[in-house]
Amino acid sequence: MINIAVAQSGGPTCAINSSLAGVIKEALQEERIGSVFGSRNGIEGIINDRLVNLDKETCTDEWLNLLKYTPASVLGSCRIKLRSSAQDADTYKTIFENFKKNNIGAFFYIGGNDSMDTVQKLSEYAAQNNIDVRIIGIPKTIDNDVAATDHTPGYGSAAKYIATTAAEIIRDSAVYNVKSVTIIEIMGRDAGWLTAAAALPRANNQPAPDLIYLPETAFSTQKFIDDINNLHEKQNSVVVAVSEGLKDENGEYAANGYLSETVDVFGHQYLAGLGKFLENLVKEKIGCKVRAVELNVMQRCSSHLSSKTDLDEAELIGAQAVKASFRGVTGKMMIFRRISTVPYKTEIDSFEISTIANKEKLFPVDWINDQGNNINDEAVQYILPLIQGEVQIPTKNGLPVHITI
Amino acid sequence: MINIAVAQSGGPTCAINSSLAGVIKEALQEERIGSVFGSRNGIEGIINDRLVNLDKETCTDEWLNLLKYTPASVLGSCRIKLRSSAQDADTYKTIFENFKKNNIGAFFYIGGNDSMDTVQKLSEYAAQNNIDVRIIGIPKTIDNDVAATDHTPGYGSAAKYIATTAAEIIRDSAVYNVKSVTIIEIMGRDAGWLTAAAALPRANNQPAPDLIYLPETAFSTQKFIDDINNLHEKQNSVVVAVSEGLKDENGEYAANGYLSETVDVFGHQYLAGLGKFLENLVKEKIGCKVRAVELNVMQRCSSHLSSKTDLDEAELIGAQAVKASFRGVTGKMMIFRRISTVPYKTEIDSFEISTIANKEKLFPVDWINDQGNNINDEAVQYILPLIQGEVQIPTKNGLPVHITI
């Protein structure tokens, strides 16, 4: 009889708690598992031994249902990047001592590609030191930029939020009888997956943004202004979706003057204000009514607008990770493999962590049009199944009910 | 047998098309009405005779249902402010000639307090010139700042969006184990109704923003920083809701340096960037992790998260306006009168337009705490009934279906 531990890392999503619910639910009905521990603030909670016992008394069906629809990471998150075991032996020693102390035989880390670096390092350390703790990654990121898996839990809900909100903003932007430009700024530092989702209303022959710029192709401010002017010849309202991380042909961020100086612990420059930069550019070069709208954290925490497919898959992949640990899987991340798109069908497997950690899966350049200002239908067909299904979130007094651990 | 015309004006909301649906539905089943004309872009469509015939063939039950859940003004809007008939007799002559030409006996104008100025001017002109065209205002604004009515259609849905989104952002902000400040910037130039709605999760004993600042009380940047520092002594994450129009004790906008120079046709200065201003202030004075989130147009166009109570009331008040026109009502705006809060009960009546047009109903100062940094429970009880009920929006492929006229 072993215990297990589970932790959440990286930026919050609408689906990360669904994966946690999947792990807990599966583990609590597995007779070979004693206790299920939640580690507070990702790997920090293992290092500091801040564990919470997720027992059957706490984790009732009703509680697990509330957990599934609570946005962000209820166990808390962290942005720690472990140094190598050669550089920081003490931390590894502490981690595995705490695993031993709590009789933890398997550790599940729900996170993005930065978090998978932790999975890789811990599993390598365990192997090198003949410690039988299975370390398994469960993918999570709205960015959909994790290698080896067809898509990541969290992406479908963010994509549904972005597509729905884009459709609503397009209506809002079209009411006045004047030339206007609306710029929707969407997350995605290097990968355009999220911004591409703005095109989805096309699948219903409903208006989608007129122009979509992804970071995978070089962005030219002159071309941007020309594209808008061309559209203004035949329509009043032009709506543009842009990835926060657009770069020019020299690989420099398009809004370089508008960059925040903050750098996160992974050395990524914190982007802010591309929308505002482009708003001012339009004001200067075109002079029409213009507004930038940043979808900001709402695109990762609007759980009321989650994709049912996404949350169900997130729960399932969490449960499958627990099952995989009993098959001896370690040093791997769980993945989705797409069997078919119509009808949508996937299978769950696990994949070597070394080919995943610290990698970024970019949006295929083949799916971007020649002009670099929109995406093709193949991309729409890829994303569409991931946003299917509406969730009925638990409500009270007209507001969502969330839980705290 | 007369015809009627209906138009939409001012900023879009989630409920303005519900009121249109109410007008159309009631008018199409009224035997004394011949045709129902929609005027494109508010009063502009009457001036330019751009009318669309909203007949039974177009306005099926299914179509009216889609209309109800389509955000923004499907007939288009305008921001025209009519000059007086003494200054601009030609425009009034054109308007009433076009009413006569199209045999229009009643005109319904769905809009906010600026639009009610048009209702007042047109009804006065009709009275002075003995023209029997009844002119009736139907209130609409997310701002809830219209006099004489308990509340305005559109406010309840915006309030539900703000309260839900605040609850979700609070979860998103709390995941890291570090001191942080999240600033939610909410619309409301002079009136704090929208920002106050962020407090609603309190009704469920769920976390709400720690600090709420409304434009009705003077804002001090020093007090703001002190308030945050006090909270940081006992908690990591501090979430603040601010109205875009906060002013200091001298009545100057708190973010004056950050004001856009744009002025709208009513002479209102266009506010932008209070959140960004406060973000930089926190960075400088406190130095912790900080993020500003502007709810932007999403708070007025996120129809997927509408309040059922709001949309149903909006439809009803539209229908009641048509009925009122046959009772000879003119030069008035339809209003809600609250009979009781628990259980929630209202009645619909009409009110003299001269006491409404160009007035602003501010948030009661009695409902703001002594420190000027939160609202009391009386305010929560007032707003709560307006956000009740979830809507099931028509969807296809996981996305909302909107209509175009």
Side-chain angles (χ1 to χ4, degrees):
Chain A
M1 183 97 95
I2 56 145
N3 300 326
I4 68 156
V6 56
Q8 299 172 308
S9 177
T13 77
C14 287
I16 188 165
N17 287 333
S18 294
S19 287
L20 177 61
V23 169
I24 296 172
K25 212 183 279 186
E26 180 65 28
L28 288 180
Q29 66 191 29
E30 168 58 68
E31 290 177 355
R32 288 168 288 180
I33 293 176
S35 297
V36 180
F37 293 115
S39 164
R40 290 198 186 272
N41 296 105
I43 193 67
E44 270 185 40
I46 304 292
I47 297 170
N48 305 322
D49 204 23
R50 289 190 303 125
L51 304 181
V52 50
N53 192 350
L54 300 164
D55 55 24
K56 282 181 182 166
E57 286 65 44
T58 304
C59 305
T60 60
D61 284 349
E62 190 195 342
W63 186 92
L64 285 164
N65 189 55
L66 291 175
L67 175 62
K68 184 169 175 178
Y69 298 113
T70 295
S73 323
V74 287
L75 287 171
S77 183
C78 69
R79 285 220 177 253
I80 286 183
K81 186 147 185 168
L82 292 180
R83 286 180 290 161
S84 72
S85 56
Q87 290 170 305
D88 185 15
D90 283 356
T91 297
Y92 288 79
K93 224 180 129 198
T94 305
I95 289 170
F96 282 89
E97 275 172 4
N98 284 337
F99 280 152
K100 191 173 180 188
K101 175 179 151 192
N102 296 293
N103 191 30
I104 288 164
F107 175 59
F108 303 92
Y109 209 33
I110 313 173
N113 38 27
D114 286 323
S115 311
M116 292 309 139
D117 177 76
T118 302
V119 172
Q120 181 173 7
K121 284 178 173 147
L122 293 182
S123 57
E124 282 173 1
Y125 184 91
Q128 284 156 10
N129 295 276
N130 286 315
I131 305 171
D132 185 18
V133 178
R134 298 176 189 165
I135 315 281
I136 298 183
I138 299 171
K140 170 282 332 170
T141 171
I142 63 166
D143 293 322
N144 201 39
D145 61 350
V146 175
T149 184
D150 176 72
H151 58 279
T152 55
Y155 174 64
S157 292
K160 188 181 183 90
Y161 173 85
I162 289 163
T164 300
T165 303
E168 291 170 338
I169 291 175
I170 286 168
R171 298 288 162 168
D172 185 273
S173 301
V175 302
Y176 296 112
N177 200 12
V178 293
K179 298 272 179 233
S180 69
V181 176
T182 306
I183 298 153
I184 308 176
E185 182 184 338
I186 297 170
M187 283 179 172
R189 200 179 280 117
D190 299 310
W193 296 105
L194 287 169
T195 304
L200 293 183
R202 270 169 39 188
N204 288 348
N205 294 314
Q206 295 260 320
D210 303 287
L211 300 165
I212 296 178
Y213 302 97
L214 308 188
E216 281 82 357
T217 50
F219 179 74
S220 149
T221 52
Q222 184 56 54
K223 175 76 166 47
F224 169 76
I225 294 296
D226 291 346
D227 286 348
I228 293 170
N229 280 330
N230 286 338
L231 284 162
H232 267 165
E233 284 177 17
K234 54 178 182 161
Q235 67 195 65
N236 274 332
S237 170
V238 172
V239 178
V240 187
V242 295
S243 278
E244 59 177 357
L246 291 182
K247 297 179 199 76
D248 66 19
E249 55 183 357
N250 301 317
E252 300 289 324
Y253 284 115
N256 238 342
Y258 281 71
L259 275 180
S260 159
E261 287 167 4
T262 315
V263 171
D264 74 14
V265 294
F266 299 109
H268 304 315
Q269 203 168 8
Y270 174 69
L271 297 179
L274 173 66
K276 216 68 193 164
F277 165 74
L278 295 176
E279 178 184 303
N280 285 326
L281 189 74
V282 169
K283 217 173 269 173
E284 190 190 316
K285 303 285 183 189
I286 303 182
C288 66
K289 182 173 149 77
V290 54
R291 183 196 280 267
V293 181
E294 190 183 353
L295 298 191
N296 214 312
V297 295
M298 286 79 87
Q299 61 202 296
R300 72 182 189 203
C301 73
S302 294
S303 59
H304 70 272
L305 189 51
S306 296
S307 154
K308 184 173 188 304
T309 297
D310 183 34
L311 298 198
D312 288 349
E313 283 188 342
E315 189 175 350
L316 193 62
I317 205 169
Q320 291 294 320
V322 174
K323 286 192 171 159
S325 71
F326 282 102
R327 294 198 304 270
V329 168
T330 188
K332 295 196 172 183
M333 186 191 80
M334 305 304 293
I335 61 160
F336 291 111
R337 191 172 290 124
R338 190 180 297 214
I339 307 300
S340 88
T341 288
V342 183
Y344 176 63
K345 197 163 173 247
T346 57
E347 63 180 20
I348 293 174
D349 200 350
S350 59
F351 208 87
E352 208 49 60
I353 197 75
S354 58
T355 55
I356 297 170
N358 305 308
K359 306 278 194 304
E360 262 185 322
K361 186 179 72 177
L362 299 183
F363 188 86
V365 178
D366 286 355
W367 288 358
I368 300 174
N369 70 358
D370 291 343
Q371 292 217 56
N373 62 14
N374 218 321
I375 63 163
N376 70 16
D377 287 340
E378 201 176 341
V380 170
Q381 292 311 312
Y382 161 81
I383 306 171
L384 202 57
L386 311 179
I387 69 155
Q388 295 309 303
E390 285 66 56
V391 293
Q392 301 302 320
I393 56 165
T395 58
K396 186 180 162 191
N397 281 319
L399 291 172
V401 180
H402 300 146
I403 59 156
T404 306
I405 294 184
Chain B
M1 182 98 94
I2 56 146
N3 299 327
I4 67 157
V6 56
Q8 300 172 308
S9 177
T13 76
C14 287
I16 188 165
N17 287 333
S18 294
S19 287
L20 177 62
V23 169
I24 297 172
K25 213 184 278 185
E26 179 65 28
L28 287 180
Q29 66 191 30
E30 168 58 66
E31 290 178 355
R32 288 169 287 180
I33 294 176
S35 296
V36 179
F37 292 115
S39 164
R40 290 198 187 273
N41 296 106
I43 192 67
E44 270 185 40
I46 302 293
I47 296 171
N48 305 323
D49 204 23
R50 290 191 302 126
L51 303 180
V52 50
N53 192 350
L54 300 164
D55 55 24
K56 283 183 179 163
E57 287 64 46
T58 304
C59 306
T60 61
D61 285 349
E62 190 194 344
W63 186 92
L64 285 165
N65 189 55
L66 291 176
L67 175 62
K68 185 169 175 178
Y69 298 111
T70 295
S73 324
V74 286
L75 287 171
S77 183
C78 69
R79 285 219 177 253
I80 285 184
K81 186 147 184 167
L82 292 181
R83 285 181 290 160
S84 72
S85 56
Q87 290 172 305
D88 186 14
D90 283 357
T91 297
Y92 287 79
K93 222 179 129 198
T94 305
I95 290 171
F96 282 90
E97 274 172 6
N98 285 336
F99 280 153
K100 192 174 179 187
K101 175 178 151 192
N102 295 294
N103 191 30
I104 288 165
F107 175 60
F108 303 91
Y109 209 33
I110 315 173
N113 37 27
D114 286 322
S115 311
M116 292 311 138
D117 178 75
T118 301
V119 172
Q120 181 174 7
K121 284 178 174 148
L122 293 183
S123 56
E124 282 172 0
Y125 184 90
Q128 284 155 12
N129 295 278
N130 286 314
I131 305 171
D132 185 20
V133 177
R134 294 166 196 175
I135 315 281
I136 299 183
I138 299 171
K140 169 283 332 170
T141 171
I142 62 166
D143 292 323
N144 201 38
D145 61 351
V146 176
T149 185
D150 176 73
H151 59 278
T152 54
Y155 174 64
S157 292
K160 189 181 183 92
Y161 174 84
I162 289 164
T164 300
T165 304
E168 291 170 339
I169 291 175
I170 287 167
R171 298 288 161 168
D172 185 275
S173 301
V175 302
Y176 296 113
N177 199 11
V178 294
K179 297 273 180 236
S180 70
V181 176
T182 306
I183 298 154
I184 307 177
E185 182 184 337
I186 298 169
M187 284 179 171
R189 198 180 281 117
D190 300 309
W193 297 105
L194 288 169
T195 304
L200 293 183
R202 271 169 38 187
N204 288 348
N205 294 315
Q206 295 259 320
D210 303 287
L211 299 165
I212 296 179
Y213 301 97
L214 308 189
E216 281 82 358
T217 51
F219 180 75
S220 149
T221 51
Q222 184 56 53
K223 176 74 166 49
F224 168 76
I225 294 296
D226 291 346
D227 285 348
I228 294 169
N229 279 329
N230 286 338
L231 284 161
H232 268 163
E233 283 178 18
K234 53 176 184 167
Q235 67 195 64
N236 274 332
S237 170
V238 172
V239 177
V240 187
V242 297
S243 277
E244 59 178 355
L246 292 181
K247 297 178 199 74
D248 66 20
E249 54 184 358
N250 302 317
E252 299 289 324
Y253 284 116
N256 237 343
Y258 281 70
L259 275 179
S260 158
E261 287 166 5
T262 314
V263 172
D264 73 16
V265 292
F266 300 109
H268 306 313
Q269 201 167 13
Y270 175 69
L271 299 179
L274 173 66
K276 217 67 192 165
F277 165 73
L278 295 176
E279 178 183 302
N280 285 326
L281 189 74
V282 169
K283 218 174 263 172
E284 191 190 315
K285 302 286 184 188
I286 303 181
C288 66
K289 181 172 151 76
V290 55
R291 182 195 281 266
V293 181
E294 190 183 352
L295 299 191
N296 215 310
V297 295
M298 285 80 86
Q299 61 202 298
R300 71 181 189 202
C301 72
S302 293
S303 58
H304 71 272
L305 188 52
S306 296
S307 154
K308 184 173 187 305
T309 297
D310 183 34
L311 298 198
D312 289 349
E313 283 188 342
E315 189 176 350
L316 191 63
I317 204 167
Q320 290 293 320
V322 175
K323 286 191 172 161
S325 71
F326 282 101
R327 293 196 304 271
V329 168
T330 187
K332 295 196 173 184
M333 186 191 81
M334 306 302 294
I335 61 160
F336 291 111
R337 191 172 289 124
R338 190 180 297 214
I339 307 300
S340 89
T341 288
V342 184
Y344 176 63
K345 197 164 172 245
T346 57
E347 62 181 21
I348 292 176
D349 200 350
S350 59
F351 208 87
E352 208 48 59
I353 198 75
S354 58
T355 54
I356 297 169
N358 304 309
K359 307 278 193 307
E360 261 185 323
K361 187 180 71 177
L362 300 182
F363 187 87
V365 177
D366 287 356
W367 289 357
I368 300 173
N369 70 0
D370 291 343
Q371 293 216 56
N373 63 16
N374 218 320
I375 62 163
N376 69 17
D377 287 341
E378 202 178 339
V380 171
Q381 292 311 313
Y382 161 80
I383 306 170
L384 202 57
L386 311 179
I387 69 156
Q388 295 308 303
E390 284 68 55
V391 294
Q392 301 301 323
I393 57 166
T395 59
K396 186 180 163 190
N397 282 320
L399 291 171
V401 180
H402 301 147
I403 59 155
T404 306
I405 294 185

